[in-house]
Amino acid sequence: MTDHDAKSGKRIVLIMLGLVLAASVAAWFGAMVLEDKGQEAQLRGAADSGSGAVVSEGVLYEAQAGDPGVVVAKDVGSGVELWRSEVGSLASPPSLSVQEKVVEVQIAGTPWMTLDRSTGEPVD
């Protein structure tokens, strides 16, 4: 084998490695785009369903539009419902905000209703 043949072989290997790397990057990018589209579809589905949800410190807080609307708190790990509170007529899609000690939900006709984060009881 000549020196020229060895250099040609190395070039071919480098070209092949470059093609494999390019294909890997393209596949990764494609997967990321599909994942983003899937998340957007999930978010649109949640918005279309008339519910708003926030996860905070292992608890899922979900507001469900309707008359009466409800706010539900569930443990994320177990799925156990911690509390449920009827809050009057909720706008669709409802807005929900979780603060340090309270959960705020937008009520149709009034700006916001405040609930105790641990019990779901209304806070004055």
Side-chain angles (χ1 to χ4, degrees):
M1 183 192 274
T2 66
D3 191 39
H4 177 70
D5 290 340
K7 287 182 182 178
S8 292
K10 287 181 182 178
R11 283 190 194 127
I12 290 172
V13 169
L14 287 174
I15 289 170
M16 296 297 286
L17 286 174
L19 290 173
V20 168
L21 178 62
S24 298
V25 169
W28 173 80
F29 182 74
M32 296 303 293
V33 168
L34 288 175
E35 183 178 333
D36 286 346
K37 286 184 179 183
Q39 288 175 351
E40 288 174 13
Q42 286 177 340
L43 291 173
R44 277 195 309 274
D48 293 343
S49 71
S51 69
V54 174
V55 175
S56 177
E57 297 179 10
V59 178
L60 168 68
Y61 299 91
E62 183 177 24
Q64 300 167 354
D67 190 12
V70 295
V71 178
V72 180
K74 292 183 183 178
D75 180 76
V76 173
S78 67
V80 172
E81 186 173 298
L82 304 172
W83 54 260
R84 173 180 294 264
S85 184
E86 288 189 9
V87 292
S89 182
L90 283 183
S92 180
S95 295
L96 186 69
S97 173
V98 178
Q99 307 300 321
E100 188 176 328
K101 295 183 180 187
V102 296
V103 176
E104 295 178 323
V105 61
Q106 189 166 13
I107 307 295
T110 61
W112 292 90
M113 181 174 196
T114 305
L115 304 173
D116 182 279
R117 184 172 171 170
S118 60
T119 65
E121 294 295 318
V123 175
D124 294 325

